[in-house]
Amino acid sequence: MEPGQTSRAVAFEGDLRVIDRARPVPGADEALIRLRLGGICNTDLELIQGYKNFSGVLGHEFVGDVYEGPADWMGRRVVGEINVSCGVCDMCRRDMSTHCRQRRILGMLNYDGAFADYFRLVVRNLHPVPEAIPDEAAVFAEPLAAACQILESAHLRPSDRVIMLGAGKLGMLGAQVLRLTGCDLAVVVRRAQQADLLTRWGIPAVERSALPDGQADVVVDCTGDASGFSDALALVRPRGTVVLKSTYTGIPQADLTRVVVQEVRVVGSRCGPMETVLRLLEQRLVDVEPLIEARYTLDEARHALEHAARPGAMKILLGP
Amino acid sequence: MEPGQTSRAVAFEGDLRVIDRARPVPGADEALIRLRLGGICNTDLELIQGYKNFSGVLGHEFVGDVYEGPADWMGRRVVGEINVSCGVCDMCRRDMSTHCRQRRILGMLNYDGAFADYFRLVVRNLHPVPEAIPDEAAVFAEPLAAACQILESAHLRPSDRVIMLGAGKLGMLGAQVLRLTGCDLAVVVRRAQQADLLTRWGIPAVERSALPDGQADVVVDCTGDASGFSDALALVRPRGTVVLKSTYTGIPQADLTRVVVQEVRVVGSRCGPMETVLRLLEQRLVDVEPLIEARYTLDEARHALEHAARPGAMKILLGP
């Protein structure tokens, strides 16, 4: 293989390794993208713990340059949606392509990921990044879209009392998006560092014990554990809404009787609208760069993932 | 005490007895009602098993005549809403009086129930029953209102594929109400008797195993057990709605990760609009009388409750 024709990739096949592989050849509907920056998500950490029996190249948060593909995309700086849909199933035809019945998922399901010098993605998933957005902000496009999906999943009114549970990477992005609705927002934190960041954005950081039960119009659970759901049910008012943003370990217990008696609305929420995110970032309505904790190269991927797994760690980036 | 001044009442205080008590004296905002017919609900069966540490007179499904009260209500045949609200708390002021923070509940919580010759209820909870509705239909007003609440809790579209899980007393009322939306409805049954009744109404009765997963727009769980919720999650399509209608024993396990990944909407649903019910019954859009399985007198209350507790039992009525 000629020099320049190989590409490093962070692969997991029972264990984590940085491999050299031939530069992927894009299919007819795909572009080849050269990585500028990748971001490590909690899902990456779960995948290398065995979640979904994942095997392949990791990475679904990225900003990169189109290196091969349709002429009008060549050289453009892009971010991308991670669900690779079939376009023909009932979900795709009903404009719910993130729920495509045959979907593949970048770096998660039957589609090699973005933690590589070069990687493929279908062109229809790409979004050009406006010049005003630096790489260090654009790399947040995917998780910030997931945060925006909270507002697609539930109608938050400007007068609502809203509580965010969990002030990790996703909770911090969610809190910033929720703030834009003008709602009366409080974020439940466990660490001083989290409170400091929130204070910088003018968002009240509180302890769980300071909040009265049964008063919040909307509670968003970004904790990812069953106690988060039970806290959410306790905090929400009758006929209020609980938005679930993160996946749970195993099958947790849930007080469904309380859901019935209080007529609570529980809404799951996953991937979100990327065009929205690019508008928010371009207009500087969301401030993501303070969430960056460290930056590693692809060669240092193992250290990067170990760092990301530390309790309380914020965003860890991977660059070429 | 003079004859005619006492009133039998079905009381539970650790055990069930038919007592003779002085005829209650209505408060300034209350009417005294003479029972025409009462209906036994699964909640009554749970209360005498220890649910909510209930103590007092049972009964919240009734039709009766106003015997004492404001002049314009005297002699009127009425049904009544069961939540006795305070009128001043935040929920009452936000038109959510069924969620009043200080609510008492007829025959359930700090308010003696309707299984008695004479019982009290606040006048604002009463609804006059149109002449065309016989007692045997009017007595279903409360559970039928709970069934109508499904449509208050979720928007069912005429084109929706809808599955009702559970074909007990509440499921049968729910199925009839859902049918009126024109939706594509199927009811999962376990007994031939249930299938026969549904067939009479032109509603498809199916077995769980005949239904494909992930296709229903809306699934309503009237089973009251955790397997009902897990079936509902399996049957609903991505971004579909699960309506929970009945309470669960203990704190069941619930696959919240599936709620998140499929972006399912789970909605609890309790007491409903009684005026709606009276319209439906007057217009004979719902057929409740085939659900009556047996009728007992107040003196026979113990037998009546035992009968109601038999697996598969439909509605058991109590008359004076």
Side-chain angles (χ1 to χ4, degrees):
Chain A
M1 225 173 287
E2 293 174 38
Q5 294 299 302
T6 65
S7 159
R8 291 168 300 169
V10 180
F12 180 79
E13 280 161 7
D15 68 342
L16 189 82
R17 278 180 304 164
V18 180
I19 60 171
D20 268 308
R21 60 171 182 180
R23 214 161 64 194
V25 178
D29 59 347
E30 291 177 320
L32 187 68
I33 299 163
R34 186 162 59 180
L35 182 69
R36 296 176 71 93
L37 267 183
I40 297 175
C41 168
N42 281 359
T43 305
D44 296 320
L45 304 174
E46 288 162 13
L47 290 172
I48 63 177
Q49 297 298 322
Y51 180 52
K52 288 184 174 183
N53 292 312
F54 175 79
S55 173
V57 177
L58 283 167
H60 59 276
E61 301 179 4
F62 74 90
V63 54
D65 297 312
V66 174
Y67 188 79
E68 282 179 38
D72 53 337
W73 283 92
M74 287 297 292
R76 298 185 84 165
R77 191 166 60 117
V78 294
V79 292
E81 303 196 19
I82 69 176
N83 296 284
V84 179
S85 58
C86 72
V88 296
C89 74
D90 61 329
M91 289 293 115
C92 286
R93 278 183 280 120
R94 291 172 78 175
D95 287 330
M96 290 187 271
S97 62
T98 60
H99 291 282
C100 169
R101 307 277 186 182
Q102 276 81 44
R103 74 180 174 278
R104 295 170 290 165
I105 310 176
L106 182 69
M108 274 192 241
L109 184 68
N110 300 328
Y111 206 98
D112 272 343
F115 294 165
D117 286 310
Y118 297 90
F119 60 95
R120 295 179 296 183
L121 187 56
V122 290
V123 175
R124 65 178 178 280
N125 280 28
L126 301 180
H127 297 266
V129 179
E131 258 190 46
I133 305 176
D135 288 344
E136 290 73 11
V139 72
F140 283 88
E142 197 281 331
L144 189 53
C148 288
Q149 185 68 3
I150 297 168
L151 302 181
E152 297 276 348
S153 308
H155 179 195
L156 265 73
R157 295 173 175 81
S159 60
D160 277 344
R161 290 161 299 178
V162 179
I163 296 168
M164 167 69 80
L165 296 174
K169 297 186 282 294
L170 184 59
M172 285 295 190
L173 295 173
Q176 286 197 70
V177 169
L178 296 182
R179 181 184 66 147
L180 298 174
T181 66
C183 71
D184 175 8
L185 174 65
V187 179
V188 174
V189 299
R190 289 192 186 154
R191 295 168 201 281
Q193 180 202 5
Q194 298 168 334
D196 291 347
L197 265 173
L198 289 163
T199 303
R200 168 201 293 231
W201 298 318
I203 299 172
V206 298
E207 293 188 17
R208 167 66 182 92
S209 58
L211 291 169
D213 281 352
Q215 297 295 333
D217 299 296
V218 180
V219 183
V220 181
D221 181 19
C222 285
T223 63
D225 64 55
S227 72
F229 181 69
S230 111
D231 276 343
L233 271 191
L235 288 164
V236 75
R237 68 160 168 85
R239 293 205 184 143
T241 298
V242 171
V243 180
L244 305 184
K245 270 313 293 181
S246 43
T247 56
Y248 297 81
T249 308
I251 311 289
Q253 284 190 295
D255 188 350
L256 299 179
T257 295
R258 192 174 170 93
V259 173
V260 173
V261 172
Q262 304 278 65
E263 298 191 305
V264 172
R265 192 168 292 268
V266 180
V267 190
S269 175
R270 190 165 44 91
C271 298
M274 215 159 258
E275 291 293 350
T276 303
V277 162
L278 294 170
R279 286 192 291 272
L280 292 178
L281 288 175
E282 189 171 20
Q283 294 164 34
R284 308 189 71 77
L285 286 167
V286 176
D287 179 30
V288 295
E289 289 168 66
L291 298 175
I292 299 170
E293 180 161 317
R295 185 172 171 156
Y296 294 85
T297 66
L298 286 177
D299 291 323
E300 300 165 322
R302 183 188 296 273
H303 292 301
L305 283 153
E306 282 167 4
H307 188 163
R310 290 180 203 158
M314 299 306 283
K315 186 59 72 182
I316 307 299
L317 299 182
L318 276 180
Chain B
M1 226 174 288
E2 293 173 39
Q5 293 299 303
T6 65
S7 160
R8 290 168 300 169
V10 179
F12 180 78
E13 279 161 6
D15 67 343
L16 189 81
R17 277 182 305 163
V18 181
I19 59 171
D20 267 308
R21 61 172 181 179
R23 215 160 64 194
V25 178
D29 58 347
E30 291 177 319
L32 187 69
I33 298 164
R34 188 163 57 181
L35 182 69
R36 295 176 71 95
L37 269 182
I40 297 175
C41 168
N42 281 359
T43 306
D44 296 320
L45 303 174
E46 287 163 13
L47 291 172
I48 64 176
Q49 298 297 322
Y51 179 52
K52 289 185 174 182
N53 291 313
F54 174 79
S55 173
V57 175
L58 284 167
H60 59 275
E61 301 179 3
F62 75 91
V63 53
D65 297 311
V66 175
Y67 188 78
E68 281 180 40
D72 54 335
W73 283 91
M74 288 297 292
R76 298 185 85 165
R77 192 164 61 117
V78 294
V79 292
E81 303 196 19
I82 69 175
N83 295 283
V84 179
S85 58
C86 74
V88 296
C89 75
D90 61 329
M91 288 294 115
C92 286
R93 278 182 279 119
R94 292 173 77 174
D95 286 331
M96 289 187 270
S97 62
T98 60
H99 291 283
C100 169
R101 305 278 187 182
Q102 276 82 45
R103 74 179 175 279
R104 294 170 291 163
I105 311 177
L106 182 69
M108 273 191 241
L109 185 66
N110 300 327
Y111 206 97
D112 273 342
F115 293 165
D117 286 311
Y118 297 90
F119 61 95
R120 296 179 297 183
L121 188 56
V122 289
V123 174
R124 67 176 175 280
N125 280 28
L126 301 181
H127 297 268
V129 179
E131 258 189 47
I133 305 176
D135 287 346
E136 288 73 13
V139 71
F140 283 88
E142 198 280 333
L144 188 54
C148 288
Q149 185 68 3
I150 296 167
L151 302 180
E152 296 276 347
S153 308
H155 179 193
L156 265 75
R157 294 173 176 80
S159 60
D160 278 344
R161 289 161 299 177
V162 179
I163 296 168
M164 166 69 79
L165 296 174
K169 296 185 284 294
L170 184 59
M172 286 294 188
L173 295 173
Q176 286 199 68
V177 169
L178 296 182
R179 181 184 65 148
L180 298 175
T181 66
C183 70
D184 176 8
L185 174 65
V187 179
V188 174
V189 298
R190 288 191 188 155
R191 294 167 203 280
Q193 181 203 6
Q194 298 167 335
D196 292 346
L197 265 172
L198 290 163
T199 302
R200 170 199 292 230
W201 299 317
I203 299 172
V206 298
E207 291 188 19
R208 167 67 181 91
S209 57
L211 292 169
D213 282 352
Q215 296 296 332
D217 299 295
V218 180
V219 183
V220 181
D221 181 19
C222 285
T223 63
D225 66 54
S227 74
F229 181 69
S230 112
D231 276 342
L233 271 190
L235 290 165
V236 76
R237 67 162 168 84
R239 292 205 186 144
T241 298
V242 172
V243 181
L244 305 183
K245 270 312 294 181
S246 43
T247 55
Y248 297 80
T249 307
I251 310 289
Q253 284 191 296
D255 188 350
L256 299 179
T257 295
R258 191 173 171 93
V259 173
V260 173
V261 172
Q262 305 276 64
E263 297 192 306
V264 173
R265 192 168 291 269
V266 180
V267 191
S269 175
R270 190 165 43 90
C271 298
M274 217 161 257
E275 292 292 351
T276 303
V277 163
L278 294 171
R279 285 191 291 272
L280 292 178
L281 288 175
E282 189 172 18
Q283 294 164 33
R284 308 188 70 80
L285 286 166
V286 176
D287 178 29
V288 294
E289 289 168 65
L291 298 174
I292 299 171
E293 178 160 319
R295 183 172 172 158
Y296 293 84
T297 65
L298 286 177
D299 291 324
E300 300 165 321
R302 182 189 298 271
H303 292 300
L305 284 154
E306 281 167 6
H307 188 164
R310 291 181 203 156
M314 299 306 282
K315 186 59 75 182
I316 307 298
L317 300 182
L318 275 179

